[in-house]
Amino acid sequence: NTIDEYVGAEELSFVGGNAVNVAVRLAELGRDVAYFGAVGPDARGRAVREALVARGVSVAHLLEIPGTTSTSQVTVAPNGERHLSGEDFGTCADYRPTAAELDAMAARGVVHIGWTPFAAEIRAELRKRGALVSQDCAVAEGFDNLDVAFCSPGEEEQAAREAAVAALAGGARLAVVARGAQGSIAFDGTRWWTQK
Protein backbone atom coordinates (compact mmCIF):
# COMPACT_ATOMS: atom_id res chain seq x y z
CA ASN A 1 0.00 0.00 0.00
CA THR A 2 1.10 3.51 -0.63
CA ILE A 3 -0.16 7.03 -0.97
CA ASP A 4 0.44 8.20 -4.54
CA GLU A 5 1.28 11.90 -4.42
CA TYR A 6 1.09 13.65 -7.80
CA VAL A 7 3.11 16.85 -8.19
CA GLY A 8 3.80 19.19 -11.09
CA ALA A 9 1.04 19.74 -13.64
CA GLU A 10 -1.37 17.94 -11.28
CA GLU A 11 -1.49 18.18 -7.50
CA LEU A 12 -3.43 15.13 -6.29
CA SER A 13 -3.17 12.37 -3.72
CA PHE A 14 -4.61 8.84 -3.93
CA VAL A 15 -4.53 5.65 -1.90
CA GLY A 16 -2.86 3.05 -4.10
CA GLY A 17 -0.26 0.39 -4.47
CA ASN A 18 -0.48 -2.74 -6.59
CA ALA A 19 -1.82 -5.08 -3.91
CA VAL A 20 -4.38 -2.49 -2.75
CA ASN A 21 -5.55 -1.97 -6.33
CA VAL A 22 -5.94 -5.73 -6.89
CA ALA A 23 -7.83 -6.14 -3.61
CA VAL A 24 -10.22 -3.31 -4.44
CA ARG A 25 -10.90 -4.56 -7.99
CA LEU A 26 -11.62 -8.08 -6.74
CA ALA A 27 -13.94 -6.72 -4.04
CA GLU A 28 -15.76 -4.69 -6.72
CA LEU A 29 -16.31 -7.98 -8.57
CA GLY A 30 -18.00 -9.39 -5.49
CA ARG A 31 -15.12 -11.47 -4.12
CA ASP A 32 -14.42 -11.86 -0.39
CA VAL A 33 -11.06 -10.08 -0.10
CA ALA A 34 -8.71 -9.41 2.80
CA TYR A 35 -5.68 -7.13 2.76
CA PHE A 36 -2.49 -8.02 4.69
CA GLY A 37 0.12 -5.33 5.22
CA ALA A 38 1.22 -2.44 7.42
CA VAL A 39 0.63 1.27 7.76
CA GLY A 40 1.97 3.83 10.17
CA PRO A 41 0.02 5.55 12.95
CA ASP A 42 -0.53 8.61 10.76
CA ALA A 43 -3.15 10.29 8.58
CA ARG A 44 -1.93 8.41 5.50
CA GLY A 45 -2.33 5.08 7.32
CA ARG A 46 -5.88 6.04 8.31
CA ALA A 47 -6.59 6.98 4.68
CA VAL A 48 -5.42 3.52 3.49
CA ARG A 49 -7.57 1.75 6.09
CA GLU A 50 -10.65 3.89 5.35
CA ALA A 51 -10.31 3.46 1.58
CA LEU A 52 -10.10 -0.32 1.87
CA VAL A 53 -13.07 -0.54 4.25
CA ALA A 54 -15.14 1.78 2.02
CA ARG A 55 -14.53 -0.58 -0.91
CA GLY A 56 -15.43 -3.76 0.93
CA VAL A 57 -11.94 -5.12 1.66
CA SER A 58 -11.35 -6.69 5.09
CA VAL A 59 -8.65 -4.91 7.06
CA ALA A 60 -8.54 -7.38 9.95
CA HIS A 61 -4.92 -8.14 8.99
CA LEU A 62 -3.81 -4.57 8.24
CA LEU A 63 -1.33 -3.78 11.01
CA GLU A 64 -0.46 -0.38 12.40
CA ILE A 65 3.24 -0.37 13.31
CA PRO A 66 5.68 2.38 14.28
CA GLY A 67 6.91 4.42 11.33
CA THR A 68 5.36 6.23 8.41
CA THR A 69 2.96 4.95 5.81
CA SER A 70 4.52 4.36 2.38
CA THR A 71 4.40 7.19 -0.16
CA SER A 72 5.14 7.35 -3.88
CA GLN A 73 5.86 10.66 -5.60
CA VAL A 74 4.69 10.95 -9.20
CA THR A 75 5.77 13.96 -11.26
CA VAL A 76 3.25 15.04 -13.89
CA ALA A 77 4.68 16.87 -16.92
CA PRO A 78 2.70 19.62 -18.69
CA ASN A 79 1.84 17.13 -21.47
CA GLY A 80 0.29 14.79 -18.87
CA GLU A 81 3.08 12.19 -18.83
CA ARG A 82 3.67 10.72 -15.40
CA HIS A 83 7.01 9.60 -14.00
CA LEU A 84 7.69 7.94 -10.67
CA SER A 85 10.11 10.37 -9.05
CA GLY A 86 10.50 8.91 -5.57
CA GLU A 87 9.34 6.32 -3.07
CA ASP A 88 9.48 5.92 0.67
CA PHE A 89 8.38 2.38 1.51
CA GLY A 90 7.95 3.28 5.18
CA THR A 91 6.22 0.59 7.22
CA CYS A 92 5.83 -1.66 4.15
CA ALA A 93 9.58 -2.28 4.29
CA ASP A 94 9.18 -3.64 7.83
CA TYR A 95 6.10 -5.82 7.27
CA ARG A 96 6.99 -9.50 7.39
CA PRO A 97 3.99 -11.80 7.88
CA THR A 98 4.08 -14.16 10.83
CA ALA A 99 3.40 -17.89 10.48
CA ALA A 100 -0.18 -17.27 11.66
CA GLU A 101 -0.64 -14.53 9.06
CA LEU A 102 0.77 -16.79 6.34
CA ASP A 103 -1.70 -19.48 7.43
CA ALA A 104 -4.54 -16.97 7.20
CA MET A 105 -3.40 -15.82 3.75
CA ALA A 106 -3.11 -19.36 2.43
CA ALA A 107 -6.53 -20.28 3.84
CA ARG A 108 -8.03 -17.77 1.40
CA GLY A 109 -6.74 -19.94 -1.48
CA VAL A 110 -5.33 -17.18 -3.71
CA VAL A 111 -2.75 -14.57 -2.68
CA HIS A 112 -1.45 -11.62 -4.72
CA ILE A 113 1.85 -10.05 -3.64
CA GLY A 114 2.85 -6.45 -4.30
CA TRP A 115 6.13 -4.87 -3.17
CA THR A 116 7.93 -6.50 -0.26
CA PRO A 117 11.58 -7.17 0.50
CA PHE A 118 10.47 -10.64 1.68
CA ALA A 119 8.76 -11.75 -1.56
CA ALA A 120 10.82 -14.93 -2.11
CA GLU A 121 10.31 -16.08 1.47
CA ILE A 122 6.57 -15.34 1.37
CA ARG A 123 6.12 -17.18 -1.94
CA ALA A 124 7.91 -20.25 -0.57
CA GLU A 125 5.84 -20.28 2.61
CA LEU A 126 2.58 -19.85 0.74
CA ARG A 127 3.52 -22.65 -1.68
CA LYS A 128 4.12 -24.97 1.30
CA ARG A 129 0.63 -24.09 2.49
CA GLY A 130 -0.96 -24.83 -0.89
CA ALA A 131 -2.00 -21.31 -1.93
CA LEU A 132 -2.09 -20.12 -5.53
CA VAL A 133 0.27 -17.13 -5.68
CA SER A 134 0.48 -14.21 -8.10
CA GLN A 135 2.88 -11.30 -7.94
CA ASP A 136 3.53 -7.93 -9.52
CA CYS A 137 7.01 -8.67 -10.86
CA ALA A 138 7.65 -5.04 -11.71
CA VAL A 139 8.02 -4.38 -7.99
CA ALA A 140 9.07 -7.72 -6.47
CA GLU A 141 11.99 -9.86 -7.61
CA GLY A 142 11.97 -13.52 -8.54
CA PHE A 143 9.61 -16.00 -10.17
CA ASP A 144 10.14 -19.14 -8.06
CA ASN A 145 7.08 -20.60 -6.29
CA LEU A 146 4.87 -18.35 -8.41
CA ASP A 147 1.72 -19.43 -10.23
CA VAL A 148 1.11 -16.16 -12.09
CA ALA A 149 3.73 -13.53 -12.82
CA PHE A 150 2.42 -10.10 -13.81
CA CYS A 151 5.08 -8.22 -15.80
CA SER A 152 5.14 -4.81 -17.48
CA PRO A 153 8.29 -4.14 -19.52
CA GLY A 154 6.62 -1.61 -21.86
CA GLU A 155 4.55 -1.62 -25.04
CA GLU A 156 7.06 -3.27 -27.41
CA GLU A 157 5.92 -6.79 -28.31
CA GLN A 158 9.37 -8.41 -28.42
CA ALA A 159 10.23 -7.11 -24.94
CA ALA A 160 6.87 -8.40 -23.66
CA ARG A 161 7.47 -11.86 -25.11
CA GLU A 162 11.00 -11.94 -23.67
CA ALA A 163 9.64 -10.97 -20.24
CA ALA A 164 7.07 -13.77 -20.41
CA VAL A 165 9.68 -16.36 -21.40
CA ALA A 166 12.02 -15.15 -18.63
CA ALA A 167 9.24 -15.42 -16.03
CA LEU A 168 8.56 -19.04 -16.97
CA ALA A 169 12.27 -19.84 -17.09
CA GLY A 170 12.50 -18.41 -13.56
CA GLY A 171 9.80 -20.74 -12.25
CA ALA A 172 6.41 -19.07 -12.88
CA ARG A 173 3.66 -21.29 -14.28
CA LEU A 174 1.95 -18.46 -16.22
CA ALA A 175 3.13 -15.00 -17.26
CA VAL A 176 0.76 -12.13 -17.97
CA VAL A 177 2.51 -9.16 -19.54
CA ALA A 178 0.90 -5.72 -19.71
CA ARG A 179 1.78 -3.67 -22.78
CA GLY A 180 0.04 -0.40 -21.95
CA ALA A 181 -2.17 0.81 -24.79
CA GLN A 182 -1.20 -2.31 -26.78
CA GLY A 183 -3.09 -4.60 -24.38
CA SER A 184 -1.64 -7.70 -22.75
CA ILE A 185 -0.19 -11.06 -23.62
CA ALA A 186 -0.01 -14.27 -21.62
CA PHE A 187 2.18 -17.36 -21.96
CA ASP A 188 2.12 -20.73 -20.18
CA GLY A 189 5.17 -22.25 -21.87
CA THR A 190 3.09 -23.75 -24.66
CA ARG A 191 0.39 -21.30 -25.68
CA TRP A 192 0.25 -17.53 -26.18
CA TRP A 193 -2.84 -15.39 -25.62
CA THR A 194 -3.37 -11.78 -26.67
CA GLN A 195 -5.88 -9.28 -25.27
CA LYS A 196 -6.20 -5.84 -26.83
Side-chain angles (χ1 to χ4, degrees):
N1 62 78
T2 192
I3 300 294
D4 291 324
E5 297 177 337
Y6 290 77
V7 297
E10 295 180 24
E11 299 283 333
L12 303 166
S13 179
F14 300 100
V15 172
N18 179 268
V20 164
N21 294 340
V22 170
V24 167
R25 296 300 170 254
L26 289 172
E28 288 174 347
L29 293 170
R31 307 301 293 194
D32 177 24
V33 182
Y35 181 79
F36 292 74
V39 294
D42 51 27
R44 291 178 174 131
R46 287 188 297 279
V48 170
R49 184 178 301 277
E50 290 168 6
L52 287 167
V53 169
R55 286 161 179 85
V57 176
S58 169
V59 293
H61 299 281
L62 176 60
L63 305 180
E64 184 178 285
I65 62 176
T68 59
T69 300
S70 173
T71 57
S72 301
Q73 294 76 42
V74 181
T75 301
V76 183
N79 67 358
E81 276 201 41
R82 296 178 167 110
H83 300 282
L84 184 63
S85 52
E87 290 183 291
D88 176 357
F89 294 112
T91 53
C92 288
D94 298 323
Y95 176 69
R96 185 181 211 153
T98 64
E101 288 167 331
L102 289 162
D103 289 343
M105 287 179 195
R108 301 193 74 82
V110 178
V111 180
H112 178 74
I113 302 172
W115 182 86
T116 171
F118 310 110
E121 173 187 324
I122 293 169
R123 289 192 310 266
E125 290 298 324
L126 290 170
R127 174 59 53 93
K128 287 181 197 173
R129 290 164 169 82
L132 184 133
V133 182
S134 67
Q135 175 179 289
D136 177 0
C137 296
V139 298
E141 293 183 11
F143 302 107
D144 54 308
N145 296 306
L146 192 55
D147 295 286
V148 183
F150 289 98
C151 310
S152 52
E155 293 189 4
E156 205 275 318
E157 182 174 1
Q158 185 60 34
R161 287 182 176 270
E162 289 172 3
V165 169
L168 268 65
R173 293 174 53 199
L174 174 69
V176 178
V177 184
R179 297 180 56 216
Q182 301 302 313
S184 299
I185 63 171
F187 182 52
D188 69 357
T190 303
R191 294 177 294 168
W192 291 92
W193 293 269
T194 302
Q195 178 67 46
K196 296 268 180 173

